Amino acid sequence: MVSVENKPNVTEFILLGLTQDKTVAKVFFSLFLLFYATIILGNLLIIITVKTSGQLNSPMYFFLSYLSFLDISYSTVTAPKLIYDLLVEKKTISFAGCIAQLFAGHFFGCAEIFLLTAMAYDRCIAICKPLHYTNIVNKHVCGWLVAASWVGGFVHSMVQTLLAIQLPFCGPNEIDHYFCDVHPLLKLACADTYIVGLTVAANSGVISLSCFVVLVASYAIILVSLRTRSSEGRLKALYTCTSHITVVVLFFGPCIFIYMRPSTTFSADKMISVFYTIITPMLNPLIYTLRNGEVKNAMKKLWSRKVKWSEQ
């Protein structure tokens, strides 16, 4: 019997992707290329609008611009590789590339989770303590919350990466996914991964679930506080919160399903992963702009300025 140490190490992995059907792959290529272009353009538009508009200077829009940046970054970790692989026969990724993709995916994904939690805190203070809002959530606090999101994402990602990189991989090297993630890699490891799987579930799942609980509690507090408001005030607050809650459900639901369990994989995991890696980053600009008159007005002014410049 050959020991794990004497077996040859895997230098590259083969990604099985979303489909093996060439006709379906061509349809997916066009679809996901359109999705990715929408992600880049939509989120860039939000960033440019917030940064150039004098009206959108509240903490909510400060956080929204960083959320758009994270959406672009997070989708870029997986989408370009997915789109390219839909046109090639052999979908390979080097071991180093796989680990880098794993690190970046968890870094940006976890940072987004913490940022969404910070945005819920911001809305809770804005609605429940409007008179003290500017003192509590000032620029200094906003900066620290964003920095904490980045640091939290980095620490989480480092743990996930270190757990994966120390595992022995000696074959097979086929990953039944369209990107490198912890659970598919654990399935290929030539060692007992039970303890590692529990650690991964604790690291990813607990963060997702605990932040989700904080978010739900924040919005519950907001809903209770709205009982004393006028009907117009309630409606405005509900419009704002509905956008946030929609994003939270779309992002956290799939994440909790994927990461709140030990190292097991299901056939539906790939399609569910599409939701939080591509669909949610694509929908975020639409969700936040279609229900927000201030953002729409700022975009109209930005467009009118552009038209004036082009006419000069």
Side-chain angles (χ1 to χ4, degrees):
M1 184 176 178
V2 181
S3 65
V4 168
E5 290 78 5
N6 292 331
K7 290 183 180 180
N9 291 325
V10 170
T11 57
E12 69 174 14
F13 294 102
I14 298 172
L15 298 169
L16 297 184
L18 286 177
T19 181
Q20 302 298 313
D21 189 304
K22 291 183 179 180
T23 304
V24 175
K26 289 178 181 178
V27 174
F28 278 173
F29 171 81
S30 302
L31 196 62
F32 286 113
L33 185 62
L34 176 63
F35 286 171
Y36 185 57
T38 304
I39 290 169
I40 300 296
L41 295 175
N43 284 289
L44 270 179
L45 180 59
I46 285 182
I47 293 171
I48 293 169
T49 302
V50 171
K51 296 301 181 185
T52 58
S53 174
Q55 297 174 321
L56 306 179
N57 51 13
S58 70
M60 181 176 76
Y61 299 114
F62 174 80
F63 291 130
L64 181 58
S65 65
Y66 276 97
L67 179 65
S68 291
F69 176 76
L70 281 173
D71 279 336
I72 291 172
S73 304
Y74 188 41
S75 61
T76 300
V77 173
T78 57
K81 175 66 175 168
L82 166 64
I83 293 166
Y84 172 78
D85 284 346
L86 287 168
L87 294 181
V88 298
E89 190 74 30
K90 192 177 182 182
K91 308 167 181 60
T92 60
I93 185 169
S94 67
F95 180 82
C98 183
I99 296 300
Q101 191 180 53
L102 186 152
F103 174 83
H106 280 269
F107 173 51
F108 291 120
C110 190
E112 183 159 339
I113 284 174
F114 287 130
L115 186 64
L116 287 170
T117 308
M119 291 175 75
Y121 168 75
D122 168 68
R123 288 299 84 205
C124 187
I125 300 298
I127 294 170
C128 298
K129 294 182 178 291
L131 298 178
H132 304 284
Y133 174 59
T134 54
N135 292 326
I136 297 173
V137 190
N138 52 45
K139 287 185 178 180
H140 185 71
V141 171
C142 290
W144 275 109
L145 288 172
V146 170
S149 299
W150 288 107
V151 172
F154 178 80
V155 172
H156 160 77
S157 187
M158 280 300 297
V159 172
Q160 299 293 83
T161 305
L162 291 173
L163 287 172
I165 205 170
Q166 53 86 31
L167 291 171
F169 297 99
C170 47
N173 66 339
E174 289 186 343
I175 298 176
D176 189 15
H177 217 302
Y178 63 91
F179 68 95
C180 287
D181 203 2
V182 181
H183 287 325
L185 283 176
L186 291 179
K187 197 174 178 182
L188 300 181
C190 305
D192 183 8
T193 60
Y194 179 74
I195 300 299
V196 176
L198 288 178
T199 308
V200 166
N203 185 23
S204 297
V206 169
I207 288 174
S208 299
L209 187 60
S210 59
C211 287
F212 184 71
V213 169
V214 171
L215 286 161
V216 171
S218 299
Y219 292 121
I221 293 170
I222 289 171
L223 291 174
V224 170
S225 71
L226 290 178
R227 291 185 301 177
T228 59
R229 299 292 184 86
S230 63
S231 58
E232 185 180 347
R234 280 200 302 267
L235 193 62
K236 186 177 179 181
L238 283 172
Y239 267 127
T240 304
C241 290
T242 301
S243 301
H244 289 254
I245 292 169
T246 304
V247 171
V248 165
V249 171
L250 285 173
F251 191 76
F252 277 82
C255 283
I256 291 172
F257 175 80
I258 295 290
Y259 296 111
M260 266 299 289
R261 62 177 193 253
S263 54
T264 54
T265 56
F266 300 124
S267 57
D269 285 357
K270 289 188 284 188
M271 296 309 299
I272 291 172
S273 297
V274 169
F275 269 92
Y276 63 84
T277 58
I278 295 175
I279 302 299
T280 302
M282 180 185 67
L283 292 179
N284 278 356
L286 297 174
I287 292 169
Y288 281 107
T289 56
L290 290 178
R291 303 184 69 88
N292 192 309
E294 290 180 333
V295 176
K296 285 191 286 188
N297 289 334
M299 285 181 175
K300 287 176 183 177
K301 288 182 179 180
L302 180 66
W303 178 256
S304 63
R305 286 204 302 266
K306 182 183 176 183
V307 171
K308 287 180 182 179
W309 291 337
S310 63
E311 290 175 351
Q312 290 176 355

